[in-house]
Amino acid sequence: MNLKDHIRGIPDFPKPGILFYDISTLLAHPGAWGETVDRLAAAVAPWKPTKFAGIESRGFLTAAPVALKLGLGFVMVRKQGKLPGPVISHEYALEYGTDIVEIQADAVQPSDRIVLLDDLLATGGTLAASKRLLESQGAIVPGAACIIELSFLNGRKAVDCPVETLIVYDE
């Protein structure tokens, strides 16, 4: 199955000049979505994770079913102020300014092997920041996986671990 056939391009979203790759059409097709989860699970299983972390918000849709399929736990990485209880934060640089990602303080134990999942790899900034956040708590992050990669943005260079992707757009 060609998963690219199930991705919808939406021009000028969220602003003019941007082509947004929408996975909602992939999610709406049970066969394509099931194939996506199966391929992601197969790609990340060799890293022998003990947990998965999904990056807000479409990363939740990606990581949760893979974690369930492989019988493992799931950790949410969210923007600041969205998780209840005590949290661990990591601030990182954006092109203009900074942002903060957080996990719940009890979500990660030292030596957990956590694979990061998200829907899209663009510049790699949020993926790299999420990796640093998990590692700050003693986790080992052997790799990351995304459904889509925008290779022309060179996001792999920002992430210092192997990254598996299922669909690549070169422009």
Side-chain angles (χ1 to χ4, degrees):
M1 175 180 297
N2 185 352
L3 297 177
K4 216 178 223 188
D5 292 342
H6 299 279
I7 303 295
R8 174 176 48 191
I10 299 180
D12 299 320
F13 183 83
K15 59 184 182 179
I18 302 291
L19 177 59
F20 182 81
Y21 293 99
D22 182 19
I23 66 166
S24 65
T25 46
L26 179 72
L27 296 167
H29 189 283
W33 182 233
E35 182 71 19
T36 300
V37 171
D38 289 347
R39 288 185 193 179
L40 286 169
V44 301
W47 291 324
K48 302 196 181 320
T50 58
K51 291 181 184 170
F52 290 96
I55 300 170
E56 182 177 337
S57 66
R58 288 180 300 274
F60 297 172
L61 299 171
T62 307
V66 173
L68 182 63
K69 181 169 189 64
L70 295 178
L72 299 173
F74 166 66
V75 176
M76 293 180 285
V77 179
R78 298 208 67 184
K79 301 287 182 173
Q80 185 177 33
K82 301 220 177 158
L83 289 170
V87 296
I88 307 296
S89 302
H90 177 75
E91 185 174 3
Y92 64 103
L94 298 170
E95 187 175 350
Y96 300 103
T98 61
D99 208 346
I100 295 174
V101 288
E102 296 180 330
I103 56 173
Q104 290 176 309
D106 61 355
V108 174
Q109 304 304 313
S111 76
D112 277 345
R113 290 181 61 83
I114 302 177
V115 171
L116 275 161
L117 288 120
D118 206 354
D119 68 318
L120 180 90
L121 174 61
T123 64
T126 304
L127 194 62
S130 299
K131 180 180 183 289
R132 286 191 295 275
L133 172 60
L134 295 168
E135 289 173 337
S136 77
Q137 300 308 297
I140 298 159
V141 181
C146 299
I147 298 170
I148 298 169
E149 177 180 1
L150 306 180
S151 63
F152 57 93
L153 295 176
N154 299 310
R156 284 176 183 267
K157 291 181 180 177
V159 185
D160 64 346
C161 68
V163 179
E164 292 286 336
T165 58
L166 303 181
I167 299 168
V168 177
Y169 291 97
D170 297 327
E171 52 183 77

